[in-house]
Amino acid sequence: MGALAVGASWGMDASRSHPADAADKDAIDLTTQYPFYDQAEPAGIRTPPQRYSIFMTFDLVDGSLRTDLQSLLARWTAASAQLMRAEPIGQVQPSSDAGVGQDTGEALGLDAASLTVTIGLGPSIFDDRFGLADKRPALLRRLPKLPSDNLTPETSDGDLSVQVCADDPQVCYHAIRNLARMARDTVQTRWTVMGFGRASAGKGQQTPRNLFGFKDGTRNISTGADFDKYVWLKDADWMTGGTYQVVRKIEMNIETWDADRVSDQEHIFGRGKTHGEPLSGSVEHDTPRFAAKGKDGEAIIAPTSHIALAAHENNGGIKILRRGYNYTDGINEFGQLDAGLLFVCYQNDPAHFVQLQRKLGAADLLNEYVKHVGSGLFAIPPSPKTGHYIGEQLFT
Amino acid sequence: MGALAVGASWGMDASRSHPADAADKDAIDLTTQYPFYDQAEPAGIRTPPQRYSIFMTFDLVDGSLRTDLQSLLARWTAASAQLMRAEPIGQVQPSSDAGVGQDTGEALGLDAASLTVTIGLGPSIFDDRFGLADKRPALLRRLPKLPSDNLTPETSDGDLSVQVCADDPQVCYHAIRNLARMARDTVQTRWTVMGFGRASAGKGQQTPRNLFGFKDGTRNISTGADFDKYVWLKDADWMTGGTYQVVRKIEMNIETWDADRVSDQEHIFGRGKTHGEPLSGSVEHDTPRFAAKGKDGEAIIAPTSHIALAAHENNGGIKILRRGYNYTDGINEFGQLDAGLLFVCYQNDPAHFVQLQRKLGAADLLNEYVKHVGSGLFAIPPSPKTGHYIGEQLFT
């Protein structure tokens, strides 16, 4: 397979909205590139989820100045654009002595592999440390305490977030490594999660599975109208065209889950495990009928099932764009695979996530098997124009 | 791209022994399947390295019987063959209630993605606990202490090793999770490393890069004659057709490395960073001329450079098959990416690795930047016949 035009790869065929099971899974085109500058929306959000992701947050070191933040955002912008073009960052010297210049080199010769870099601004940079209080995005506050929160500071929050996603893990690692490296005079790393096996589907992709073995994201936002209505910010001053990113590190007790009967698991999710159909229907994309009752007079889809609690029909029409990844942190203290979901969602009002999680955290049958250990909220500025940089409007 | 015949994917084109840079990298065919049973050699060794790997070792729990080990090897064999065919393991019940049976389900609907499972036997299972002392593979002893060893028991050894490799990380995770899960009454997990960005090249693949940014494995074993001479066991009783697996978890001090001048880095490796040419040559696959001297009368390739110390010309002709992966363990205590190399090599005599590592550990200029923290030696039995299982000959 040779080089294809940008955007012409698998997963971008807008004519298929509900692909057959076998539609998108048999090949990955590593030559796909996404543009960084001059886009209607920032990269890495509507982009069909790549197979690998590294999420990292950073804190500016004590004593950092406003100009340090400004300079970092400018340098990250330039580097992100280069990385997404599969170019080594920094200056590449012609002499063999200088070699690859500032770039660490491990992605030399690799294609872009659909790399996207998505940079977020945390609430804490607007706490007047940098004289930016008047530029605070209107809805950017730390998330309130939510039911079932079990958060640790070590895996929560941050002044800045960076989400890199790619179809080649080495490309992904190279990007975050070099972005972290070029920033180390200005920031300290705070927490990171390495995700795999995208846990959401973009347009034209089949619905992937979470580590509970269930299809996840069947009813995710997919239409342009829904993106406009629920994801992108309108009339939001310098944030217009941007969005808000919520990140939750959710540990999953997969050992307990695996010991549960599949029929119980299906009751908890409200869907069949093998095919993902709502329990009130027969195929995955059947619209769930939450009012349907069985012969016993009970709701076929339990009102406290995951899909019932999360459904827009039961939440005043609210939708969020989920774009998470599975993760594993190796073997835990009990000798079992430590695994979970890096839940990432995008919405034009963080209160939408809060409303959903208040319900889920209080009543979801799934709570017995999950633990929210990390959390963060970040503002994602719009895609910068060529010659400009992310968040430039903060400093004008 | 539709389904291709097994083995017909990229990376299997034997007519290209030194592919051009762009040859193999632009697409991954996820439909590729490798057979498990009835092969001339065990899977996952000559197999072109996949992009993702999880390595895990296990210890049999106290009080385990010989029949527990026997049963585990038989069950792992059957499950490995199913996994490599992209089938859910265990019984798949027809009723929706039983769903996916024993399988945890997260790879349902995914292709095989070139999955291979390679099972190894550690020296400790032949220490008479199971009455297997007379079956001990002739060269299977714990590795001796080596120069520069910095090993911890928590990341070394094990009664059994499992190496799973695939081009889809979710497929890879699913395989190790289910193999670990079905074994948990018999074994405890000991250590694991999740690798990415294959750090070696198979036939027809371009040479990948390690996290120092250098091409690694240019001179790896690739011909059938060398596999026969250096990798596969001959006249080795029940181990004939098998091999020995050495695993080393090598931490890399990438921060110090990145601060070094590229010319120093090239001196340490003995190769150019950008193109991988030996410093005595001009293109990657030029044979290094270790005797060549520069105008200053000094060897162009330093005798203590990595390639000089490791070269078969300087080691009595010894070659080993390297098949490692890069890894990262997230952020370390210093807030930096904890990264390194899961070095895996295969050879028909572990003394070959020992000889090379004695030299490298004592003199390699690279030692300033690496730390060997984990180690293990395992015997890899030959591919079982249909209806039989790995290591069955131990119990007859």
Side-chain angles (χ1 to χ4, degrees), chain B residues 202-369:
Chain B
K203 206 169 179 80
Q205 292 180 335
Q206 74 165 333
T207 311
R209 292 176 185 271
N210 57 34
L211 297 184
F212 288 143
F214 277 74
K215 292 195 176 211
D216 203 349
T218 298
R219 305 189 80 202
N220 210 359
I221 286 179
S222 62
T223 67
D226 274 355
F227 270 94
D228 289 341
K229 185 168 179 187
Y230 297 110
V231 179
W232 307 124
L233 286 162
K234 290 177 288 286
D235 305 322
D237 192 25
W238 68 275
M239 278 289 293
T240 299
T243 184
Y244 291 99
Q245 173 191 61
V246 170
V247 183
R248 307 282 285 187
K249 183 176 182 183
I250 305 175
E251 281 184 9
M252 290 162 65
N253 189 340
I254 60 175
E255 300 287 331
T256 311
W257 179 260
D258 287 344
D260 197 14
R261 288 164 50 90
V262 170
S263 55
D264 286 334
Q265 296 178 350
E266 294 179 331
H267 177 70
I268 290 167
F269 264 97
R271 291 190 179 276
K273 187 167 189 176
T274 305
H275 302 292
E277 75 287 359
L279 296 182
S280 61
S282 57
V283 298
E284 182 191 350
H285 288 281
D286 282 348
T287 300
R289 294 182 293 116
F290 296 111
K293 289 189 165 47
K295 289 173 187 165
D296 59 2
E298 298 287 320
I300 294 174
I301 299 174
T304 49
S305 68
H306 192 66
I307 67 164
L309 290 167
H312 59 87
E313 293 92 334
N314 303 328
N315 285 287
I318 284 176
K319 298 182 183 181
I320 58 177
L321 174 71
R322 286 160 287 161
R323 200 177 186 285
Y325 285 86
N326 302 324
Y327 76 83
T328 176
D329 282 346
I331 296 174
N332 66 19
E333 60 197 299
F334 308 110
Q336 299 170 338
L337 279 168
D338 191 355
L341 177 67
L342 177 68
F343 178 93
V344 182
C345 66
Y346 293 93
Q347 53 278 305
N348 52 23
D349 186 347
H352 295 170
F353 167 77
V354 169
Q355 177 183 328
L356 289 172
Q357 184 52 26
R358 282 214 167 104
K359 274 183 68 176
L360 289 165
D364 191 353
L365 293 173
L366 208 47
N367 289 335
E368 185 181 341
Y369 304 94

Side-chain angles (χ1 to χ4, degrees), chain A residues 329-347:
Chain A
D329 282 346
I331 296 174
N332 66 20
E333 60 199 297
F334 308 109
Q336 298 170 339
L337 278 168
D338 191 355
L341 177 66
L342 177 68
F343 177 93
V344 182
C345 67
Y346 294 94
Q347 54 278 303

Side-chain angles (χ1 to χ4, degrees), chain A residues 28-99:
Chain A
I28 298 170
D29 176 12
L30 296 175
T31 66
T32 303
Q33 288 186 17
Y34 293 108
F36 185 75
Y37 290 113
D38 306 312
Q39 300 303 298
E41 53 196 58
I45 297 172
R46 196 185 324 217
T47 313
Q50 304 94 324
R51 293 194 176 247
Y52 203 83
S53 172
I54 303 182
F55 177 83
M56 193 177 282
T57 81
F58 301 87
D59 290 331
L60 283 112
V61 297
D62 288 347
S64 295
L65 303 175
R66 176 186 169 107
T67 50
D68 294 325
L69 174 61
Q70 183 176 18
S71 162
L72 177 60
L73 291 171
R75 288 183 293 125
W76 268 357
T77 297
S80 298
Q82 284 189 294
L83 289 164
M84 285 171 57
R85 290 193 301 264
E87 295 171 5
I89 62 162
Q91 297 176 315
V92 181
Q93 304 294 337
S95 83
S96 81
D97 186 53

Side-chain angles (χ1 to χ4, degrees), chain B residues 170-189:
Chain B
Q170 182 124 342
V171 169
C172 208
Y173 174 83
H174 171 259
I176 199 80
R177 174 185 178 185
N178 281 276
L179 292 170
R181 181 170 171 250
M182 65 192 294
R184 64 181 163 191
D185 291 339
T186 312
V187 297
Q188 288 180 313
T189 51

Side-chain angles (χ1 to χ4, degrees), chain A residues 35-39 77-78 81 85 382-390 392:
Chain A
F36 185 75
Y37 290 113
D38 306 312
Q39 300 303 298
T77 297
R85 290 193 301 264
S383 166
K385 302 276 181 235
T386 300
H388 296 268
Y389 59 89
I390 286 173
E392 185 173 344

